[in-house]
Amino acid sequence: MNYFGKILKFGLPYKKFAFLNVFFNILYALFSALSYVAMIPMMQILFGTTKQTFEPPVYNEMEGIKSYVEGFFNYKITQYMSEDSGKALMFVIATIITLFFLKNIFNYLAMFFITFLRNGVLKDLRNALYKKTTALPVSFFSEKKKGDIRHFFMFLQNVPMLVKKSQKQSHFCLLYTSDAADDLLCVD
């Protein structure tokens, strides 16, 4: 009863599309978290609680990337606010729009590549079923009930739903991971 393993065997020729889907799903989760975290400076500008930073931050190590990015944004916002607060708000809004745009582009690309995987697996399953059905002797069709044969074809109609459900579950796992990353980025 290892149906998933048998169907997975049909997906091996399309593994590059699976890897591309996973890659773009990870980027989607990353930019999803960043797009919401980027709203914090906009709220700070609107409510006047922006930290004034007059010196550009220095990047030291990978562990301090959160503080570096936060310091860089505070430095840029401080520069723009010294000129014009509207300019600082426009900078933050442009950053948020760019992050949301990239998030949606990566989501689109993930959906684009999973379509090739889903349709390829479905095509190969249908071809295998057709070859198997045409190779069967005529006596098979006279002995079996019509419902038994129809069962095979009904299974093929469920395969796209199975792939879509597994993709939604991977989105849920990636979004859960992005929420955890969001929590890590928001911790002071």
Side-chain angles (χ1 to χ4, degrees):
M1 287 260 184
N2 190 6
Y3 295 122
F4 186 70
K6 291 179 182 178
I7 292 174
L8 196 59
K9 182 175 64 175
F10 285 99
L12 287 178
Y14 307 102
K15 64 183 170 187
K16 68 178 179 180
F17 296 116
F19 288 128
L20 286 170
N21 176 265
V22 169
F23 174 71
F24 286 119
N25 272 329
I26 289 170
L27 288 176
Y28 167 71
L30 176 71
F31 279 93
S32 179
L34 287 177
S35 60
Y36 290 110
V37 170
M39 286 189 199
I40 295 170
M42 184 180 70
M43 295 300 169
Q44 289 175 342
I45 290 172
L46 288 175
F47 296 118
T49 60
T50 305
K51 297 176 186 173
Q52 300 290 322
T53 307
F54 295 103
E55 295 178 15
V58 179
Y59 180 70
N60 293 333
E61 62 214 34
M62 191 65 170
E63 296 166 353
I65 196 163
K66 178 196 176 282
S67 61
Y68 173 76
V69 170
E70 185 178 337
F72 176 76
F73 272 115
N74 284 337
Y75 173 69
K76 281 294 188 186
I77 290 170
T78 302
Q79 276 185 332
Y80 288 136
M81 286 197 60
S82 65
E83 297 171 17
D84 182 21
S85 61
K87 193 173 181 182
L89 191 58
M90 290 303 289
F91 170 73
V92 172
I93 290 172
T95 303
I96 291 171
I97 288 173
T98 303
L99 288 172
F100 270 98
F101 179 73
L102 288 173
K103 176 188 85 150
N104 289 330
I105 288 291
F106 291 134
N107 187 26
Y108 172 78
L109 288 172
M111 295 291 184
F112 179 77
F113 287 115
I114 196 71
T115 302
F116 286 112
L117 175 71
R118 183 183 69 217
N119 290 341
V121 168
L122 190 60
K123 177 187 67 117
D124 291 347
L125 275 170
R126 285 180 179 158
N127 287 339
L129 184 61
Y130 175 75
K131 286 179 186 176
K132 179 72 173 178
T133 306
T134 55
L136 290 172
V138 177
S139 62
F140 175 81
F141 296 106
S142 62
E143 294 172 4
K144 295 288 183 179
K145 296 179 183 176
K146 290 180 185 176
D148 292 342
I149 298 169
R150 187 168 176 239
H151 175 72
F152 296 122
F153 294 102
M154 293 300 291
F155 171 73
L156 283 179
Q157 290 179 347
N158 292 332
V159 170
M161 288 188 298
L162 292 173
V163 173
K164 193 175 279 192
K165 282 182 182 180
S166 69
Q167 183 187 10
K168 284 182 182 178
Q169 288 174 349
S170 70
H171 270 296
F172 174 74
C173 292
L174 287 173
L175 286 175
Y176 181 76
T177 306
S178 73
D179 287 344
D182 186 27
D183 291 343
L184 287 175
L185 290 172
C186 291
V187 172
D188 288 333

